[in-house]
Amino acid sequence: MAELSETYACAPSTERGRGILISGDPKTNSIVYTNGRSVIIRRLDAPLEASIYGEHAYQATVARFSPNGEWVASADVSGTVRIWGRHGDRVLKNEFRVLSGRIDDLQWSPDGLRIVASGDGKGKSFVRAFMWDSGTNVGEFDGHSRRVLSCAFKPTRPFRIVTCGEDFLVNFYEGPPFKFKLSQREHSNFVNCVRFSPDGTKFISVSSDKKGIIYDGKTGEKIGELSMEDGHKGSIYAVSWSTDSKQVLTVSADKTAKIWEIMEDGNGKVKRTLASPGSGGLDDMLVGCLWQNDHLVTVSLGGMINIYSASHPDKMPTSFSGHMKSITALACTLQSAEKVILSSSYDGVIIQWIQSIGYGGRLVRKDNTQIKCFAAVEEELATAGFDNKVWRIPLNGDQCGNAEPVDVGSQPKDLNLAVQTPELALVSTDSEVIMLRGLQVVSTIKLGYGATASTISPDGSEAIVGGQDGKLHIYSIDGDSLKEEAVLEKHRGSITVIRYSPDASMFASADANREAVVWDRVSREVKLKNMLYHSARINCLAWSPDSHLIATGSLDTCVIIYEVDKPASSRITIKGAHLGGVYGLTFSDENSVVSAGEDACVRVWRLVQ
């Protein structure tokens, strides 16, 4: 049996030049956001409690809790809205094709019976309001000529809907059934977000022209604006009201969040500017915000979520983040006697996770290149990207030292460090195997076959290279030279991964034809066979520290754990471990498997006998 003990969730997907609209449920203090095809719900007071919904067929764009907190409506780039139960089996209540293009925002009516969605579409249909149970239209939404970026439902009767978008307009509709009432042309650039105050008396629109304008909630007439004095210096991407309807929080591309007091006459003045705790780079532009109970939540372009306290805004915010792109490699290392899980995604982000705490910070490299292969030992990281270079990066706690690159001539396919003598590294490219000692290339062998995977024994005395032909070539390492000793044939597909057991008595290999094999290192005989339980190619495998268990992760979203001394049929299977496939596996101790995958999440599973 394997139980999910922790989920380190991904960060929200962000896009340069666009805001993201996160939302929350004040009763349970949760927020909901999207990344790829996943919808992520997490508690603000317990960031480790994340639940993930992955039933969308296309990239999800926005999600909202229903007013009673029991249902979630989530939308995707195909224009589909799915309404599903938040608890238990996440039963699908309904699925509607609402628009013909991407949906950018959706909102429930306060009674939870209607939903309005806005976005991109063909012709004039950029907005639709419909009944949540039947999908029937409740109004005509004319008046927009381009993509509608945000919509809002008035939280009190009489109901109103307001929309805004790329045609610089803010449109006001009365209903139900809703029909066009008036249009406001106060903005001179894209209008990014529009929100009603919780008491329904006002609504505010914010735009890329750095302005925020406040209107009367019942008539739609302009009553005031956010003062330009001490205002934002960049596009304003999102806005959120306080629960008492007297203040708003805005975030902008100028990397600041501001709290505004909305006065009786409808104008707003800056009450406080919240400085972003980042380094001030591009990734610190703020693109999303939410004011929920006493929490002020801001989201940066780099996916960092900062939570400030509204009652003590001077206090340093709590920050957490995650990967935004598919995770390609995972490693568990000891740093100052503490176990740290390192994960790297192909966009070059390396994150440290600490078990039972969660996010432990990003490893900032001087040179943020993409990462294809990644290996880690206690004091050092080795990475290889798409630029034919291997980087060796010294680790001092959570800081990276000065990295030195080695050019290996062609793109690395696999990269491994000898654990006991980590200055020795083995790099395999399409047609060569290269041995590095420190930053020196000490030997290069031309291969007569296409190499797809490789590994080096912990003591650095033996190397194995797997080929496209499914054969395993074993080399002995003598000083700085490699000599072929044997060729093992058992696989029927090209080799995807090879790993030595920690005690170096065995090694395991896996192929694209979904089979894994455990071999005895001395006799070179098959030790565990018939490991054929995946339904697609195996991407990764890992040994437990006591060399007793072996885990394989596959494109079929499953992780399977085998015991070396028992037949392969007595396995533990974790189905649906990661949406889109499992790409990283490691053991943090004898009973904990850590997995990572295309959904950009890291999960820790406890093995219970």
Side-chain angles (χ1 to χ4, degrees), residues 116-263:
V116 57
S118 70
D120 211 349
K122 295 185 177 70
K124 286 207 162 117
S125 54
F126 300 106
V127 185
R128 248 188 81 188
F130 55 92
M131 300 302 287
W132 85 297
D133 48 1
S134 63
T136 41
N137 277 352
V138 285
E140 290 293 320
F141 293 88
D142 305 330
H144 278 292
S145 58
R146 293 184 64 186
R147 180 171 164 183
V148 178
L149 297 175
S150 183
C151 55
F153 226 115
K154 183 163 173 271
T156 53
R157 290 180 183 274
F159 289 156
R160 302 282 184 265
I161 285 177
V162 58
T163 60
C164 65
E166 293 187 354
D167 49 10
F168 312 168
L169 298 181
V170 174
N171 285 353
F172 190 74
Y173 302 87
E174 287 183 341
F178 293 95
K179 54 184 189 297
F180 179 78
K181 173 78 189 308
L182 61 100
S183 192
Q184 295 283 5
R185 293 174 178 272
E186 298 288 337
H187 289 291
S188 57
N189 206 329
F190 289 2
V191 192
N192 292 318
C193 186
V194 61
R195 289 291 175 257
F196 271 100
S197 61
D199 63 7
T201 57
K202 306 178 193 68
F203 65 92
I204 181 170
S205 63
V206 293
S207 156
S208 296
D209 62 7
K210 315 182 182 71
K211 286 204 297 208
I213 294 178
I214 295 129
Y215 311 82
D216 183 279
K218 202 167 173 185
T219 63
E221 297 300 330
K222 175 181 170 180
I223 53 175
E225 53 186 90
L226 300 180
S227 105
M228 296 304 275
E229 187 187 325
D230 202 20
H232 282 296
K233 311 266 187 304
S235 304
I236 306 177
Y237 286 131
V239 61
S240 185
W241 287 85
S242 64
T243 35
D244 62 2
S245 304
K246 291 186 175 148
Q247 300 178 70
V248 294
L249 170 69
T250 58
V251 289
S252 158
D254 65 7
K255 310 180 183 66
T256 62
K258 290 185 191 286
I259 299 172
W260 306 76
E261 194 167 340
I262 307 296
M263 281 134 9

